[in-house]
Amino acid sequence: MALPLVTVVVGSETSGQNITIVTTTQDADEPLRVDFSLSSDGSLSPGSPSWANYVKGVIHHYRAPPVPGFRAVIASSVPLGGGLSSSASLEVAFYTFLQQIKPDDGDKVSKAVACQQAEHSHAGVPCGIMDQFVSVLGRERHALLIDCRSLEATPVPLADSGLVILITNSNVKHSLASSEYSVRRRQCEEAAYILGKASLRDATMKDLEAVKDKLDDVTYRRAHHVIEEINRTVQAAEALKRGAYKEFGKLMVESHNSLRDMYEVSCRELDELVSIAMEVEGVFGSRMTGGGFGGCTVTLLLAHAVDRIIFRIKERYSGTPTFYVTTPSQGARVLSL
Ligand code: ADP
């Protein structure tokens, strides 16, 4: 689901080929202002500061080139590097800005894919499509079931006024966060290769058990997590449609436990936040979100339990948490001034 946190881009077209971009986010690397010129073929290479690479990538992959010169300012309420997709939100906000000064065909799926390509080629992060998809297609009062292969997105109602989703930032980020994602991808690709499948999407637990002795323990556990997580996601969407929040919450916790034990991308702080949350009455489920090794947890609970859980986490969590009380919100949109 899209969160009610936002990245806003304000700007206007200028004459010529010059581009000036300022970010008001103090956590980005210096300088917070960049000036550059567009080359005649519209291509742009990554460089320094690193935050500007997300924007350069979006310009590079923009689907209606050439982009004219412009000046723009970025402001964001999304915490940077906290697993809440500040990078996707920056890419999608910037793409939306470019659509205002040089319209493309408006296709939303292609927009999300272009933003993902920007992150691959210019930020050097081989990310999946989920973050950009949700930033583009997120719908108020709905969760989004995403098929990452067919690129289909199905909105699933999550609009019960008695519920909230609490995001808790652990405010820790372990150094493994940036390197382990590509290690996990490699391990999954290896498992799929040994299974003789194009993707783990095509494998069942039965297939996996049949080749267990050909896989080392770590590769087996990575594939185990992915195959079960795909099934859990489908079950979770079904549960949500029926309003079966207890069942949905149980799947959230199973997902967390598998991310912790089988995929090994959790950490002590995230585990602590999940287990404290699960002790509070009115909580249905809780799990880590994002790339892991720090960042945030997401917890589904009854709205009237929110003060209680925040109090309990503040009291018991060994770090300093930050909270966002949210409901599913709309994805990127144009704001008129
Ligand atoms: P996440 O996307 O989970 O927040 P990432 O590490 O993938 O974490 O992306 C964070 C990076 O995205 C930041 O370090 C910064 O380079 C860039 N970024 C995100 N939002 C902004 C912003 N508002 N201004 C400048 N850079 C930003």
PDB file of all heavy atoms in Angstrom, residues 3 11 66 81 87 117 144 208 293 310:
ATOM      1  N   LEU A   3       1.773   4.867   1.389  1.00  0.00           N
ATOM      2  CA  LEU A   3       1.636   5.541   2.685  1.00  0.00           C
ATOM      3  C   LEU A   3       1.220   6.994   2.463  1.00  0.00           C
ATOM      4  O   LEU A   3       1.436   7.544   1.381  1.00  0.00           O
ATOM      5  CB  LEU A   3       2.990   5.519   3.415  1.00  0.00           C
ATOM      6  CG  LEU A   3       3.559   4.145   3.755  1.00  0.00           C
ATOM      7  CD1 LEU A   3       4.945   4.280   4.359  1.00  0.00           C
ATOM      8  CD2 LEU A   3       2.624   3.426   4.707  1.00  0.00           C
ATOM      9  N   GLY A  11       8.441  22.839  -9.740  1.00  0.00           N
ATOM     10  CA  GLY A  11       9.414  23.410 -10.661  1.00  0.00           C
ATOM     11  C   GLY A  11       8.759  23.964 -11.894  1.00  0.00           C
ATOM     12  O   GLY A  11       7.536  23.939 -12.028  1.00  0.00           O
ATOM     13  N   PRO A  66      13.055  14.532 -26.157  1.00  0.00           N
ATOM     14  CA  PRO A  66      13.976  15.081 -25.159  1.00  0.00           C
ATOM     15  C   PRO A  66      13.252  15.927 -24.113  1.00  0.00           C
ATOM     16  O   PRO A  66      12.233  16.546 -24.401  1.00  0.00           O
ATOM     17  CB  PRO A  66      14.893  15.960 -26.020  1.00  0.00           C
ATOM     18  CG  PRO A  66      14.024  16.400 -27.155  1.00  0.00           C
ATOM     19  CD  PRO A  66      13.056  15.288 -27.421  1.00  0.00           C
ATOM     20  N   GLY A  81      16.285   5.985   3.304  1.00  0.00           N
ATOM     21  CA  GLY A  81      16.980   4.741   3.625  1.00  0.00           C
ATOM     22  C   GLY A  81      16.349   3.964   4.772  1.00  0.00           C
ATOM     23  O   GLY A  81      17.004   3.140   5.390  1.00  0.00           O
ATOM     24  N   SER A  87      13.470   6.310  -2.265  1.00  0.00           N
ATOM     25  CA  SER A  87      14.077   6.417  -3.602  1.00  0.00           C
ATOM     26  C   SER A  87      13.012   6.255  -4.685  1.00  0.00           C
ATOM     27  O   SER A  87      12.959   7.046  -5.630  1.00  0.00           O
ATOM     28  CB  SER A  87      15.212   5.410  -3.776  1.00  0.00           C
ATOM     29  OG  SER A  87      14.784   4.125  -3.415  1.00  0.00           O
ATOM     30  N   GLN A 117      14.094   1.153 -13.977  1.00  0.00           N
ATOM     31  CA  GLN A 117      15.314   1.165 -14.802  1.00  0.00           C
ATOM     32  C   GLN A 117      16.256   2.275 -14.355  1.00  0.00           C
ATOM     33  O   GLN A 117      17.476   2.105 -14.346  1.00  0.00           O
ATOM     34  CB  GLN A 117      14.960   1.365 -16.276  1.00  0.00           C
ATOM     35  CG  GLN A 117      14.369   0.116 -16.912  1.00  0.00           C
ATOM     36  CD  GLN A 117      13.762   0.403 -18.280  1.00  0.00           C
ATOM     37  OE1 GLN A 117      13.583   1.559 -18.678  1.00  0.00           O
ATOM     38  NE2 GLN A 117      13.423  -0.653 -18.998  1.00  0.00           N
ATOM     39  N   LEU A 144      -2.430  -3.325  -2.543  1.00  0.00           N
ATOM     40  CA  LEU A 144      -2.210  -3.667  -3.944  1.00  0.00           C
ATOM     41  C   LEU A 144      -1.548  -5.034  -4.023  1.00  0.00           C
ATOM     42  O   LEU A 144      -0.479  -5.240  -3.446  1.00  0.00           O
ATOM     43  CB  LEU A 144      -1.282  -2.597  -4.543  1.00  0.00           C
ATOM     44  CG  LEU A 144      -1.354  -2.338  -6.028  1.00  0.00           C
ATOM     45  CD1 LEU A 144      -2.738  -1.879  -6.450  1.00  0.00           C
ATOM     46  CD2 LEU A 144      -0.326  -1.273  -6.409  1.00  0.00           C
ATOM     47  N   LEU A 208      10.864 -28.316  -4.626  1.00  0.00           N
ATOM     48  CA  LEU A 208      12.048 -27.977  -3.826  1.00  0.00           C
ATOM     49  C   LEU A 208      12.513 -29.174  -2.998  1.00  0.00           C
ATOM     50  O   LEU A 208      13.718 -29.480  -2.949  1.00  0.00           O
ATOM     51  CB  LEU A 208      11.743 -26.775  -2.918  1.00  0.00           C
ATOM     52  CG  LEU A 208      12.915 -26.266  -2.090  1.00  0.00           C
ATOM     53  CD1 LEU A 208      14.014 -25.678  -2.976  1.00  0.00           C
ATOM     54  CD2 LEU A 208      12.468 -25.209  -1.074  1.00  0.00           C
ATOM     55  N   PHE A 293      17.680  -5.692   7.658  1.00  0.00           N
ATOM     56  CA  PHE A 293      18.880  -5.265   8.404  1.00  0.00           C
ATOM     57  C   PHE A 293      18.688  -3.881   9.022  1.00  0.00           C
ATOM     58  O   PHE A 293      19.629  -3.086   9.120  1.00  0.00           O
ATOM     59  CB  PHE A 293      20.124  -5.298   7.509  1.00  0.00           C
ATOM     60  CG  PHE A 293      20.318  -6.613   6.818  1.00  0.00           C
ATOM     61  CD1 PHE A 293      20.017  -6.756   5.471  1.00  0.00           C
ATOM     62  CD2 PHE A 293      20.761  -7.718   7.527  1.00  0.00           C
ATOM     63  CE1 PHE A 293      20.153  -7.980   4.837  1.00  0.00           C
ATOM     64  CE2 PHE A 293      20.909  -8.956   6.905  1.00  0.00           C
ATOM     65  CZ  PHE A 293      20.610  -9.089   5.561  1.00  0.00           C
ATOM     66  N   ILE A 310       2.065   2.178  20.933  1.00  0.00           N
ATOM     67  CA  ILE A 310       3.154   3.167  20.879  1.00  0.00           C
ATOM     68  C   ILE A 310       3.799   3.296  22.266  1.00  0.00           C
ATOM     69  O   ILE A 310       5.025   3.284  22.409  1.00  0.00           O
ATOM     70  CB  ILE A 310       2.630   4.532  20.349  1.00  0.00           C
ATOM     71  CG1 ILE A 310       2.322   4.389  18.856  1.00  0.00           C
ATOM     72  CG2 ILE A 310       3.632   5.661  20.605  1.00  0.00           C
ATOM     73  CD1 ILE A 310       1.727   5.607  18.201  1.00  0.00           C
TER      74      ILE A 310
END
